[in-house]
Amino acid sequence: EIVLQVSKEAEQKGITSKVINEFKNKTKFIKRVIELDKSQPEFKLTLDQYLKRVVTPNRIKKANQKYNENKKLLTQISKHYGVQSRFLVALWGIETDFGRLTGGFSVISALTTLVYDGRRYDYFKKELINALKIVNGGHITINKMTGSWAGAMGQCQFMPSSFINYATDWDKDGSKNIWTSKPDVFASAANYLKRVGWSNQITWGRKVFIGNYNGKTDEKKYNLLSYWASKGILKANKDKLPNVKVKARLIIPDGYKNYGYLAYKNFDSLLNWNRSNYFAIAVGTLADSIKENN
């Protein structure tokens, strides 16, 4: 029985018998989690279809509203971590529609179900033990620990391991609360990006016109913007690329002929958060639509 096995391991990791008993009593097998895990989408969206879905005019409007509503707090966190506010708002918007859609599954039950299913047994068992550690630390109760079917939690959708590594108690109330405390949500996201190499000296990248490009395509290779300019690449509006000492790599999404993206080092920090080019481009695109009028 998975629950007993995990309980034994949790005990060895110093989790209290109170939390372990609660885990034994409250954990349920969720059939829907297995269905969702098995039904990853069959058809592939193109990048443009994906962007149309996630960077809508309505979301752009909301992103600007949310930025203005939380500007003072965002500015403090942005200065402290060296991560531009607009990226924190954009991640928040893409991940959970600014905290609106954080997932209604019990994280403990969902993770236990995935461990039981066994497709990625070791990974989900580690996340489950981490989730119990978080409850043990008094950050949230088992009942209130909700998230996506795969165990991503709160308004920034951290897996338990990310919570343990990066979650931050910015409002100093004794718990790292990424579920309902905006200060903790923003600071945790900023801390994550900073720790995986974010620099506030540059942006994420840019969409570019590649209709006249006359070089090779190796998506891993970084070159200075001046190099890309010398190979015929222009801004998306066909102006010259800025003359700044920034390195970038060229990404050409499937089906793109005349346009692509020059991705800067910060793009890799976004990929660390979610290993999808589409995701990172969406966050960058939404961030670019937020007017940080100081």
Side-chain angles (χ1 to χ4, degrees):
E1 166 69 343
I2 296 284
V3 171
L4 291 174
Q5 199 184 325
V6 171
S7 299
K8 269 210 186 80
E9 208 172 307
E11 205 177 341
Q12 286 159 2
K13 298 259 160 75
I15 288 163
T16 63
S17 53
K18 181 174 172 281
V19 171
I20 291 171
N21 286 334
E22 213 184 337
F23 166 59
K24 286 177 178 165
N25 295 329
K26 291 192 169 165
T27 303
K28 294 182 176 62
F29 179 81
I30 310 174
K31 198 162 146 252
R32 182 82 186 117
V33 166
I34 304 291
E35 287 167 9
L36 288 165
D37 187 43
K38 296 227 189 321
S39 72
Q40 306 291 343
E42 273 127 61
F43 63 95
K44 272 290 215 214
L45 292 176
T46 66
L47 174 61
D48 288 348
Q49 286 167 330
Y50 174 75
L51 289 175
K52 264 205 185 78
R53 267 187 200 190
V54 299
V55 190
T56 60
N58 187 26
R59 185 164 282 168
I60 288 171
K61 194 174 132 194
K62 210 163 152 187
N64 280 281
Q65 275 168 351
K66 295 286 179 191
Y67 169 72
N68 288 317
E69 275 167 31
N70 299 285
K71 192 165 171 186
K72 196 176 152 207
L73 173 64
L74 283 162
T75 304
Q76 288 166 346
I77 289 171
S78 167
K79 278 211 179 87
H80 180 85
Y81 289 101
V83 176
Q84 303 93 310
S85 303
R86 60 200 180 93
F87 288 98
L88 302 176
V89 175
L91 273 166
W92 187 35
I94 298 289
E95 279 292 8
T96 60
D97 196 30
F98 314 101
R100 194 175 66 85
L101 304 165
T102 57
F105 288 94
S106 153
V107 166
I108 298 280
S109 288
L111 289 171
T112 306
T113 302
L114 289 161
V115 173
Y116 174 81
D117 185 49
R119 187 176 65 85
R120 293 172 70 194
Y121 175 84
D122 292 330
Y123 171 74
F124 284 118
K125 192 171 72 149
K126 190 184 93 209
E127 293 296 350
L128 178 55
I129 297 280
N130 281 331
L132 291 169
K133 282 183 188 166
I134 294 163
V135 174
N136 201 56
H139 300 290
I140 190 99
T141 62
I142 285 185
N143 286 350
K144 287 189 176 154
M145 186 187 251
T146 56
S148 76
W149 63 266
M153 316 182 294
Q155 299 194 25
C156 47
Q157 293 287 283
F158 275 6
M159 289 302 287
S161 54
S162 294
F163 182 102
I164 284 178
N165 289 326
Y166 307 113
T168 304
D169 178 17
W170 185 265
D171 61 17
K172 306 268 191 289
D173 68 350
S175 74
K176 298 172 180 178
N177 178 357
I178 60 171
W179 291 268
T180 58
S181 159
K182 271 193 257 180
D184 291 5
V185 170
F186 298 152
S188 299
N191 185 37
Y192 185 111
L193 289 177
K194 186 66 195 165
R195 297 264 298 280
V196 298
W198 190 271
S199 161
N200 64 356
Q201 300 307 300
I202 54 172
T203 182
W204 63 281
R206 57 172 62 246
K207 190 173 184 176
V208 287
F209 177 72
I210 57 170
N212 320 327
Y213 177 54
N214 56 21
K216 288 195 184 65
T217 313
D218 170 359
E219 295 206 339
K220 291 191 177 70
K221 195 144 174 43
Y222 277 92
N223 286 296
L224 285 166
L225 289 189
S226 53
Y227 166 86
W228 296 115
S230 76
K231 294 287 183 194
I233 289 183
L234 298 166
K235 283 184 179 179
N237 65 3
K238 301 189 185 160
D239 286 350
K240 277 194 179 133
L241 287 175
N243 186 14
V244 285
K245 269 212 155 109
V246 174
K247 286 192 164 172
R249 56 195 183 87
L250 179 62
I251 294 171
I252 305 173
D254 287 349
Y256 269 53
K257 291 195 177 45
N258 287 321
Y259 291 90
Y261 288 86
L262 282 178
Y264 303 169
K265 282 277 194 256
N266 284 341
F267 192 85
D268 290 342
S269 300
L270 293 172
L271 288 179
N272 206 296
W273 183 295
N274 179 332
R275 291 257 162 251
S276 147
N277 280 344
Y278 282 21
F279 171 83
I281 290 167
V283 170
T285 305
L286 184 57
D288 285 348
S289 76
I290 296 170
K291 293 170 187 58
E292 290 185 306
N293 34 15
N294 294 324

